[in-house]
Amino acid sequence: MAKPTRSIVYVAAGRVAGAELARKVAPVLIDDDNLLLGPSSADPKRHPAVRARYWGRSPSARLDRELARTSGAALCVALPPTPGGLLSFFRVAASAVQRGRSLLVIDVGRDVAGASPQGHDPAKATEVDLAEALRRKPPVAERSNLEAALAATLWRLWCRRSPVAFSRFCASGSRFHPQLANLGRYHAGKFPRQVGQAVLLSRVDELVLNQLSREWLTPMELFVNAMKARTGLYAWFTHMGDLYLTKRLLEWSRHGHGRVVDCREHPGEQSELKRWSFRWHARSETILEALPSLHSAPPVPIGGAVAYDPDRAWVCRVDTGGTPYLSRLGEAPAPASDRRA
C-alpha cells in the first residue's frame, strides 16, 4: 500500500481492520454497521436516522457524517470479500458519485477465492484475517467513473421500495463482483417464496422455525441443533450474526396476527442466546407447509423494501437454473432472458 500523494479518507469494515489500517494511513473511518440487516435509505442524510431507529444507536456516526458532506477528499474502501462488505462499498460509492469524489479500493480479499453459493442459500462468509491481509500492503486501485456509477446504482436499487431490480441484477450472473451471487441469494432468501399457487415462508424463516419443537429450547440449543443437522442455517448466521436467531424468534413470538411461537424469559441470564426459550405454539407447525396469509408473519425490513408486506407483496421464485429472484406476487415468471440480460 503506497503512501498516498493526495488527500484520501479511508473506510474500513470493523474495528480490527480499522486499527490496522490506521497504523499506515489517516484518517480512517470505521463502518461498524451490518447493512444486510434492517432498512436503508439512498438519502445520505436520512440513512443514519433510519439505521439508528433500527439498532437503537448510530453504529457508524463518523462515517455517516463524512458521506453526507457536499464535497471532500477521495474515498478509499478497504473491501473485504463478503456480501456485507460489498454492500458497504456500494453505499460509499453512491456518496462519492453524488458528491463528485474519487473512489478507490483496497481489495483485501483479492487472493481469496471464497465459496460459491450452492442451491438457494448464500455460501458461508469467507474467513479472512483483515489485519493480516492489510499488513501485506495490498495495492490501492482507483475505480473508473463507470465502475463507480454502477456500484452507486446498485446502492440505489438496494434502497428502492421495490426489491425486484436489485434481485434481478444479482441473478443475472454478472461478473461485476464475485460476492454478488451470495448477496443476491441472501437478499432473495429474506422474502416469502411462491411455489406454484402456494406462498411459503422465506428461506431463512423456514430454516429458523424448522429448529423448533414442542419442548422449550434456547437459541443456543437451536443453534447447536442446526449445526449438527447441517441445515444450511450456519451459513446464514455468518452473514447475519448468531444474535439474529433470538431477534427473529422474538419477532415471531410477539407478532399479533397469528400466534406461532411461544416464548418465555429467563431474567437472570445475561447471554442473549440463553435469556429466552422458544417452542411451537399448539398446532402452529402447519405454517411450515404454507402461509395462511402475508399477515401471518412478522415483517422484515431489508434495504428499502419490506418482506411479508401485504400491500407490496414481493415473493421469491427460482428460475430454471436454480437461481432465486424476486417478483411481485401473482406476476407471471419473467423469461430467463430478461433475468440474465
Side-chain angles (χ1 to χ4, degrees):
M1 197 159 44
K3 187 174 181 180
T5 59
R6 56 175 162 166
S7 178
I8 298 175
V9 174
Y10 294 84
V11 180
R15 298 177 187 179
V16 173
E20 183 60 34
L21 194 58
R23 291 160 61 96
K24 301 173 178 62
V25 294
V28 175
L29 303 180
I30 296 173
D31 189 354
D32 221 11
D33 193 359
N34 185 356
L35 297 173
L36 293 170
L37 298 173
S40 292
S41 172
D43 183 338
K45 293 184 178 180
R46 182 173 179 268
H47 178 80
V50 168
R51 301 302 292 172
R53 283 198 297 271
Y54 180 75
W55 292 118
R57 59 186 177 85
S58 297
S60 306
R62 289 184 62 207
L63 176 61
D64 293 338
R65 290 192 293 270
E66 181 64 36
L67 297 184
R69 290 175 59 185
T70 56
S71 62
L75 294 166
C76 181
V77 180
L79 177 60
T82 62
L86 186 60
L87 198 55
S88 178
F89 168 66
F90 292 164
R91 182 188 172 216
V92 174
S95 175
V97 169
Q98 187 175 8
R99 267 69 175 157
R101 303 169 73 170
S102 297
L103 179 67
L104 302 94
V105 170
I106 305 169
D107 195 351
V108 180
R110 72 189 191 284
D111 298 326
V112 180
S116 297
Q118 302 295 323
H120 303 166
D121 300 322
K124 72 182 186 70
T126 305
E127 295 180 4
V128 176
D129 186 333
L130 296 179
E132 175 58 31
L134 288 167
R135 282 194 286 270
R136 293 197 295 267
K137 300 181 179 179
V140 177
E142 185 164 1
R143 289 293 185 254
S144 68
N145 290 340
L146 181 60
E147 290 172 317
L150 179 54
T153 298
L154 286 169
W155 175 248
R156 290 193 295 272
L157 294 182
W158 173 265
C159 295
R160 274 188 183 177
R161 184 173 291 181
S162 166
V164 170
F166 183 86
S167 177
R168 290 184 179 174
F169 186 92
C170 292
S172 69
S174 169
R175 299 181 183 276
F176 176 70
H177 193 278
Q179 286 297 324
L180 202 60
N182 277 327
L183 180 54
R185 279 166 170 76
Y186 176 93
H187 182 233
K190 286 298 192 88
F191 289 82
R193 295 164 294 161
Q194 184 175 8
V195 179
Q197 297 302 311
V199 178
L200 312 178
L201 292 167
S202 71
R203 172 61 175 164
V204 68
D205 273 342
E206 177 189 50
L207 289 171
V208 166
L209 295 183
N210 253 323
Q211 299 307 307
L212 292 176
S213 75
R214 297 185 181 182
E215 304 297 324
W216 290 106
L217 295 169
T218 66
M220 178 62 76
E221 292 168 319
L222 293 168
F223 180 80
V224 170
N225 291 344
M227 287 281 289
K228 291 179 179 177
R230 299 177 180 269
T231 64
L233 193 55
Y234 175 68
W236 283 89
F237 288 149
T238 64
H239 302 292
M240 301 183 299
D242 51 13
L243 293 181
Y244 180 83
L245 181 57
T246 303
K247 182 179 185 299
R248 188 60 179 156
L249 286 171
L250 284 172
E251 289 171 348
W252 274 102
S253 70
R254 296 165 178 170
H255 187 54
H257 288 286
R259 194 171 176 186
V260 173
V261 176
D262 291 332
C263 169
R264 68 180 182 187
E265 185 177 4
H266 312 291
E269 181 57 60
Q270 297 300 311
S271 170
E272 287 296 308
L273 290 174
K274 297 180 179 178
R275 185 180 171 187
W276 311 88
S277 292
F278 301 95
R279 69 179 181 186
W280 283 114
H281 187 63
R283 296 179 296 282
S284 59
E285 297 96 324
T286 54
I287 201 168
L288 292 171
E289 300 169 7
L291 273 173
S293 76
L294 293 178
H295 289 288
S296 303
V300 179
I302 178 168
V306 177
Y308 298 108
D309 182 352
D311 297 324
R312 297 180 181 87
W314 314 112
V315 290
C316 176
R317 290 171 166 167
V318 179
D319 68 16
T320 55
T323 302
Y325 69 97
L326 298 177
S327 65
R328 187 180 288 276
L329 178 64
E331 278 187 359
S337 58
D338 288 356
R339 294 194 298 273
R340 299 187 178 278

